[in-house]
Amino acid sequence: MITTTASRNLEEVIEECRTIFDIPGIEPAVAWKHAERGRKLIGCFPVYTPVEIFHAAGALPVGLAGGGNRLEIVHSDSRFQSFVCSIIKSTLEQGMTGMLDEIDGMVFHSICDSARNLASVYTRNFPNTPVEYLHYPQNFALPEAAMHLRSEYERLATFAASITGTTVTPGRLKESLSLYNRIRRLIRLLYGLRAERPHAIRTSELYSLVRVGNLTPPERHAEILVEALAAIERREGKSRDRLRILIVGSFCEQPPIDLISAVEDAGCYVVDDDFLIGRRWLIGDVDTGVSDPLLALADGYRNQSVASPVKHDLRVSQSQMLIDRARRLNADAVIVLCAKFCEPALFAYPLYRRALQAAGIPNLFLEFEEKMWMFDRVKNEIETFVESMLFA
Amino acid sequence: MEKLQYQGHLHTLQKELMGDYYAELTASANGSGLPAAYLLIGGNPVEILRAFDILPVFPEVNALQLAVRKQSLPFIQAAEFMGYSSDNCAYVKADIGMYFGGRTTPFATIPEPSLLLCNYVGCNVYLDWFEHLADYSRRPIFQLDIPFIRTASGKPSKDDIAYVTTQLHRLIEQCEEITGRKLDQDRLREAVRLSSETGALWSKIKHLTKAHPAPYDAYFDSVTMMAPLYCLRGTQAGLDFFETAYAELQEKANAGIGALSEERFRYVIEGPPPWPHLRTFRDMFSRWSAIAVASTYSTVGGLWEFGFTHDPDSPIESIARHLLEWNLTNRNFLQRYDQIGRYIEEWDAHALVIHSVKSCRLFSAGQGDMREYFTKRGIPTLLVESDLEDPRYFSEAQMRNRIDAFFESLEHRSTQGQSVTV
Ligand code: SF4
Ligand code: SF4
C-alpha cells in the first residue's frame, strides 16, 4: 500500500507505483477486492473503456495491460497463432493460469480483429466470467453515432449492475465522471509539464504514474498524481541539449518500461507518446451538468477524443494531426514504435511515413514485443538514429 | 499422377461472365462506362449501387485475381517498399501496389473510384484499407458503420437495425449526388428481388452437397460461383448464371454423379483458400478422394443457406439485415463454431480442415481454440497454415505431408474408431 507523506520525493512515489504495476498479474486489485465483502472487479482490455460506468456501479475497473516480460506463454500459443500480437496471448495466458480468477466481468472492444476474436475465445474458455463486447462507431461524421454508442454504454451499465448489484444512476455516473475528469486533467498536466520541461520528469516515470491507475482505485490514483506533481515542482534539474522525440504506435500492447528508458538513455527527451492512451482518451472534461451523462460520455468519444489508429475519424487527416502535433511540440523526430503483429499500428505507419517525409520530419520505425527483455538491437537502432540526426 | 480435370460448363460460363464484368471495369476506367464505387465483399449494399447504375468494384476480388494469376507478389513488394509491413493483410498490399502501378492488370484496367464505400462489416482492416485509398485517391469515402454481432442472442439489436437503416438512407443521398439522379424505388426493389432470387438459388445449391456423393466441391467449386455471386448480384445476368448452375448441379445430384470419381472422405473446410496455389492445394485433397461438402469461406459475403433472403417489399431493411447478421464477417467467432458444427452434422462430414491464413486475422486469430473445441467433440481436425495472397507463405512439401498424414490417420481411424488431431 502506498502511504502518503507530503514530503516524499518523486523517486519514492515512482518506486511505489512500480511495485504495484510491475508484476505479471493483478494482485493489488485483488487485494482491494478482498478488503471488503461484495467488492467486484471488471477487467478492461485496451485501448479505451468508459471506466466511469463500472466505477459508478461500484466496481473497480482493472486496466489489463498484458503480461509484461515475466509471464511465460505456455498454454495460449496453441490457441492463437504465431502471427498474432503478444497481448492477445498473454491475456489469455493470464486467464488460463488463474491470474484473472478474481475478475468478475471482462470487456473487450472493436479495436482490431484479434481482440475481437479473443472476446469470443475468452467467453468460451471462461464460462463463469461474463464478457461484454463494445462496438465503437467508425463513422464519426454521422450525428447518430453518439446515440448508438450511448445504447452500447447503456448495455455496459446493465452489465456492470448485473455484476455489482448497484444500478448506474445519472447521479452516481456524474460523480464518477467528475472523478475521472479530474484524473485526466492531472495526467494532462503531467504531460504538459513533461513537454515543457522534459528534464523535470523522465518518460519512464510519467509512464509509471499513469500505469499505476490500472490496478489502483481512482480515488487513490488521483492522490498519487497530485503528490507526484508537487514532488516534480521540488525537483532540481537543468535542461540539456537533447533531441525532442515524439513516440507513437504503442497504444495497446505496452513496451517494457526498460525499453522506454532506453530511448531516453540514447540521449532523447520524449515530448509526447501514446502509451496507455486509454487513460487520456478524452481530451476535455465530460460535461457533468447535463441530464443525460451517458450521452455526454458517448459524445466525448465522438467529438473530444485523441487520434488513434483504432479510430477512423475521417473528418480530419490522422497523419496531418501527427504532423501538427510534432510541430506544436517542437519535436525533432518521430519514432513509430509498434507492437509486433499489431495490425492497426502497422497500418498507420505507411501513411505516417509518407506525411512525415513530406513534412521533412525524420522518423524511425521500430517493433517491440511486451515479452522482450533484451534491447540491444533496438538500442543500437535508436542510438544510430540519434547520432545520424546529431551529426547530420 | 494424372492431372485431374475440374472444368465443366459452369466454369466456362463463369469465365465469360467475369470477362464481361471486367470489360465493364475497363470501359469505366477509359471514361466510356459507368461511374465506379469500390466496396468490400463481406455483406454489402450492392443493390443500392445497381439501382443507380454505379459499377461495383471489389478490391478483394481484384487482389485474389492477381494472386490466382501469380501476379500478386510484385505489387505486394511495392507496397512493402512504401512502408506496409510483411505482417499486414496482403490483399491490401497487392491492391495498393496495383493502385500505384497504374491500375492495370492482365484482366482489366481498374477504374478510379467515384465513391469509396467502406462497408465495415466486422473486418477492421477494411477501415484501414479504404482510409488509405481515400488518402491516395482523394476521392469521397462513405464509411458504413455496421455494429458487430456481440450479444448472446446472436442477433442485431433494434438500435442496430435503425442505425444501419439511417446510414443506408444517407448512402442513397450520396449516390444521388454522384449520379445527379433521384433514387428510383422500382429499380431498387428490382435489384433486391434479383438478389433475393439469386440468394435462394445459391442456398439450394449449397444444400445439394448433402447428397452422397456431393455433386461439386463446396470449397474449390464454390469459389468459382462466388465471383458472380458478388460481382453480379442484383443483375439479371447474375440470376441467370445461378439458374443454370442450379439446374446443372441438381441434375448431377439426382443422377448420383459426384464431383470426384470416388468419394471417400467428406470434410468441412474453414478459412480462405491459398489463391496463389489453389490448384496445388486442391490436388492435395483430390488425391485422397476427399471432398469439401461445406465451407465457411463461401459465406463471407452472405450466409444464405440458413434461411436468409432479401425482401423486395422492404428493400432497405433487408439490406440492413444482410449487412448486420447474414454474412460470416460480421458474426462472432463462436457463431462460426456453431456454423461449422451444423455443417458437420447436417452435411454429414467426417472431419474439419482449418486453413489458417496469416493475412486475415478476422478469419484466423484464435483458430487454435477452434481446433481444440472440435477435437474435444471427437471431430478429427487438421490445421494448416499459409496465406491467401502472398505466395511466399506456402510450403508445398510440408503442406502435402500434413494433409497426407491426416487422411492416412482418418483412413486408419475408420477401421479403428479413434480420434485424430494433426
Ligand atoms: S496490440 Fe494491436 S493487434 Fe494486438 S490487440 Fe492491441 S490493437 Fe489489436
Ligand atoms: S483481413 Fe481478411 S477480411 Fe479483412 S481485408 Fe484482409 S483478407 Fe479481407
Side-chain angles (χ1 to χ4, degrees):
Chain A
M1 239 11 250
I2 292 185
T3 46
T4 314
T5 33
S7 58
R8 284 207 302 178
N9 63 30
L10 190 64
E11 287 74 14
E12 288 168 312
V13 179
I14 301 298
E15 188 47 42
E16 295 271 12
C17 292
R18 286 196 66 155
T19 353
I20 293 180
F21 77 79
D22 211 2
I23 51 170
I26 59 158
E27 290 82 351
V30 175
W32 174 87
K33 175 177 169 173
H34 289 160
E36 239 175 72
R37 256 180 84 95
R39 282 185 169 178
K40 304 286 181 191
L41 303 177
I42 300 185
C44 310
F45 194 78
V47 176
Y48 165 73
T49 308
V51 282
E52 291 89 337
I53 296 175
F54 298 154
H55 183 260
L60 176 62
V62 178
L64 300 176
N69 56 10
R70 269 170 287 157
L71 179 73
E72 209 190 328
I73 306 291
V74 179
H75 307 91
S76 59
D77 54 358
S78 69
R79 306 301 174 93
F80 282 90
Q81 297 92 322
S82 56
F83 50 78
V84 175
C85 68
S86 181
I87 189 173
I88 295 288
K89 288 179 249 188
S90 62
T91 304
L92 185 61
E93 189 74 24
Q94 287 176 321
M96 290 172 123
T97 52
M99 287 182 180
L100 303 180
D101 281 359
E102 294 291 341
I103 291 277
D104 301 289
M106 282 280 268
V107 58
F108 297 89
H109 328 84
S110 55
I111 52 167
C112 69
D113 296 344
S114 299
R116 202 251 330 270
N117 287 5
L118 175 61
S120 283
V121 170
Y122 205 93
T123 306
R124 181 179 99 71
N125 283 276
F126 305 97
N128 298 325
T129 308
V131 174
E132 261 301 344
Y133 182 81
L134 200 59
H135 175 85
Y136 283 122
Q138 288 293 7
N139 181 343
F140 287 78
L142 200 69
E144 291 82 4
M147 262 325 259
H148 189 267
L149 185 57
R150 187 199 179 284
S151 70
E152 287 294 283
Y153 285 179
E154 205 165 88
R155 201 180 68 247
L156 212 61
T158 312
F159 167 77
S162 74
I163 290 168
T164 61
T166 303
T167 308
V168 180
T169 60
R172 290 183 64 95
L173 183 57
K174 285 180 191 178
E175 278 172 32
S176 300
L177 284 170
S178 299
L179 174 58
Y180 281 98
N181 276 343
R182 177 153 179 260
I183 290 175
R184 282 187 288 263
R185 276 200 302 270
L186 289 167
I187 295 177
R188 276 201 296 276
L189 270 177
L190 282 163
Y191 265 75
L193 202 152
R194 182 194 50 174
E196 232 174 74
R197 290 188 279 141
H199 55 279
I201 176 168
R202 283 175 64 91
T203 293
S204 47
E205 294 170 331
L206 174 54
Y207 180 85
S208 303
L209 291 170
V210 179
R211 173 86 183 253
V212 73
N214 277 8
L215 299 173
T216 314
E219 297 78 2
R220 177 67 194 138
H221 190 204
E223 288 171 8
I224 295 172
L225 295 171
V226 170
E227 195 189 357
L229 274 162
I232 293 166
E233 290 308 325
R234 291 194 305 272
R235 209 181 214 189
E236 303 194 344
K238 252 196 358 233
S239 172
R240 286 168 208 273
D241 193 18
R242 293 179 153 200
L243 288 181
R244 293 169 63 87
I245 303 280
L246 169 58
I247 301 184
V248 290
S250 321
F251 45 84
C252 182
E253 183 176 318
Q254 295 299 293
I257 195 160
D258 294 340
L259 178 56
I260 300 174
S261 300
V263 178
E264 299 186 295
D265 295 342
C268 309
Y269 284 137
V270 178
V271 291
D272 200 6
D273 59 66
D274 58 5
F275 305 133
L276 304 164
I277 192 75
R279 300 232 152 249
R280 54 211 157 85
W281 190 260
L282 304 179
I283 50 182
D285 282 357
V286 181
D287 192 350
T288 52
V290 292
S291 57
D292 188 351
L294 216 48
L295 181 60
L297 186 57
D299 202 59
Y301 189 95
R302 178 171 171 245
N303 286 323
Q304 280 220 297
S305 57
V306 295
S308 165
V310 295
K311 215 186 103 186
H312 297 262
D313 185 351
L314 302 187
R315 293 174 297 185
V316 280
S317 152
Q318 302 298 305
S319 28
Q320 188 54 46
M321 280 179 77
L322 177 65
I323 304 298
D324 294 347
R325 203 163 132 209
R327 295 222 164 106
R328 201 173 52 240
L329 291 162
N330 221 348
D332 299 303
V334 172
I335 294 182
V336 184
L337 179 64
C338 298
K340 191 129 180 61
F341 303 115
C342 175
E343 192 127 57
L346 293 172
F347 263 126
Y349 176 61
L351 291 193
Y352 286 170
R353 187 174 90 163
R354 198 161 172 258
L356 288 164
Q357 278 173 351
I361 301 173
N363 68 88
L364 174 68
F365 172 81
L366 292 172
E367 282 179 304
F368 72 90
E369 277 189 282
E370 59 175 354
K371 49 182 186 253
M372 281 167 87
W373 52 277
M374 304 257 289
F375 312 109
D376 296 353
R377 201 183 49 78
V378 181
K379 263 190 196 156
N380 270 337
E381 282 191 57
I382 299 169
E383 278 162 16
T384 313
F385 179 68
V386 170
E387 276 163 25
S388 75
M389 285 196 57
L390 288 176
F391 303 112
Chain B
M1 196 178 82
E2 171 200 354
K3 203 157 164 69
L4 294 162
Q5 288 299 318
Y6 305 114
Q7 302 298 317
H9 176 54
L10 267 187
H11 289 74
T12 323
L13 190 60
Q14 189 261 21
K15 276 213 174 88
E16 275 172 33
L17 275 178
M18 290 306 290
D20 295 347
Y21 167 75
Y22 278 118
E24 278 193 275
L25 261 57
T26 303
S28 170
N30 295 338
S32 58
L34 301 173
Y38 290 9
L39 74 168
L40 295 141
I41 291 294
N44 65 48
V46 71
E47 294 79 9
I48 292 177
L49 301 180
R50 288 292 181 187
F52 278 103
D53 284 326
I54 295 174
L55 185 64
V57 176
F58 297 97
E60 290 157 297
V61 177
N62 299 336
L64 77 86
Q65 290 288 351
L66 289 171
V68 169
R69 289 159 211 252
K70 305 205 186 298
Q71 309 264 341
S72 59
L73 190 55
F75 291 129
I76 292 172
Q77 285 168 328
E80 287 177 355
F81 190 70
M82 292 171 66
Y84 288 87
S85 160
S86 58
D87 297 315
N88 276 141
C89 171
Y91 266 7
V92 182
K93 287 185 283 184
D95 182 56
I96 303 263
M98 187 266 288
Y99 184 83
F100 281 103
R103 291 175 283 106
T104 39
T105 72
F107 43 94
T109 306
I110 310 302
E112 280 274 13
S114 296
L115 173 67
L116 290 157
L117 169 52
C118 179
N119 46 307
Y120 167 46
V121 276
C123 174
N124 284 279
V125 171
Y126 282 178
L127 294 160
D128 292 300
W129 192 347
F130 274 47
E131 182 180 348
H132 291 213
L133 285 173
D135 203 73
Y136 300 144
S137 69
R138 305 265 156 213
R139 299 297 169 117
I141 179 165
F142 187 96
Q143 288 162 309
L144 196 52
D145 178 28
I146 308 298
F148 191 65
I149 297 290
R150 60 210 178 284
T151 59
S153 71
K155 298 266 166 207
S157 69
K158 274 210 186 89
D159 283 339
D160 292 345
I161 294 169
Y163 181 51
V164 172
T165 307
T166 308
Q167 294 182 63
L168 290 173
H169 285 295
R170 287 182 192 251
L171 170 64
I172 288 171
E173 285 164 19
Q174 187 144 6
C175 293
E176 290 177 337
E177 257 171 51
I178 289 169
T179 58
R181 276 196 280 122
K182 281 267 154 219
L183 172 71
D184 179 341
Q185 293 286 352
D186 291 334
R187 293 264 338 255
L188 178 63
R189 254 193 301 275
E190 175 63 4
V192 171
R193 180 190 64 82
L194 290 164
S195 270
S196 159
E197 289 178 26
T198 303
L201 284 166
W202 177 234
S203 166
K204 283 186 179 173
I205 291 172
K206 290 237 158 155
H207 285 274
L208 289 176
T209 47
K210 286 179 171 171
H212 296 62
Y216 70 95
D217 188 288
Y219 193 51
F220 297 106
D221 293 321
S222 281
V223 297
T224 306
M225 290 183 270
M226 282 163 71
L229 181 69
Y230 300 141
C231 298
L232 302 173
R233 197 173 74 243
T235 69
Q236 188 62 46
L239 178 59
D240 292 347
F241 173 82
F242 280 93
E243 274 167 356
T244 312
Y246 179 59
E248 188 177 313
L249 297 171
Q250 188 192 29
E251 201 179 292
K252 277 181 79 179
N254 289 346
I257 302 171
L260 301 171
S261 51
E262 184 197 6
E263 177 179 298
R264 290 174 60 211
F265 300 103
R266 295 166 68 87
Y267 66 95
V268 172
I269 185 159
E270 142 82 357
W275 293 114
H277 304 277
L278 190 64
R279 177 57 197 251
T280 311
F281 193 56
R282 181 173 197 168
D283 286 348
M284 290 178 186
F285 293 93
S286 301
R287 61 200 290 264
W288 281 95
S289 301
I291 189 145
V293 291
S295 61
T296 49
Y297 181 65
S298 60
T299 60
V300 279
L303 181 56
W304 278 275
E305 58 263 40
F306 296 154
F308 171 74
T309 47
H310 283 85
D311 178 4
D313 290 330
S314 69
I316 298 291
E317 194 184 314
S318 75
I319 292 173
R321 286 189 184 278
H322 178 214
L323 289 162
L324 278 158
E325 186 183 354
W326 292 104
N327 62 83
L328 174 135
T329 56
N330 208 49
R331 295 180 151 226
N332 66 54
F333 203 48
L334 297 181
Q335 287 178 299
R336 209 183 312 157
Y337 292 17
D338 291 342
Q339 184 180 342
I340 293 170
R342 270 188 80 171
Y343 287 152
I344 289 172
E345 201 163 298
E346 295 171 30
W347 272 255
D348 190 25
H350 314 130
L352 171 63
V353 175
I354 301 172
H355 181 231
S356 171
V357 298
K358 179 179 196 280
S359 272
C360 184
R361 290 170 182 85
L362 172 140
F363 250 107
S364 58
Q367 279 170 332
D369 185 74
M370 178 187 280
R371 171 181 55 189
E372 209 259 355
Y373 172 87
F374 283 103
T375 309
K376 277 231 167 99
R377 270 152 194 76
I379 309 297
T381 300
L382 169 72
L383 191 150
V384 286
E385 283 187 25
S386 76
D387 196 57
L388 48 65
E389 180 78 11
D390 194 324
R392 293 170 294 189
Y393 294 105
F394 191 85
S395 135
E396 186 175 338
Q398 197 192 353
M399 182 80 89
R400 188 185 306 280
N401 285 342
R402 309 239 322 145
I403 291 173
D404 285 350
F406 182 68
F407 285 105
E408 265 161 33
S409 55
L410 270 188
E411 202 169 41
H412 189 64
R413 181 185 197 252
S414 58
T415 51
Q416 309 271 313
Q418 65 203 18
S419 131
V420 182
T421 321
V422 182

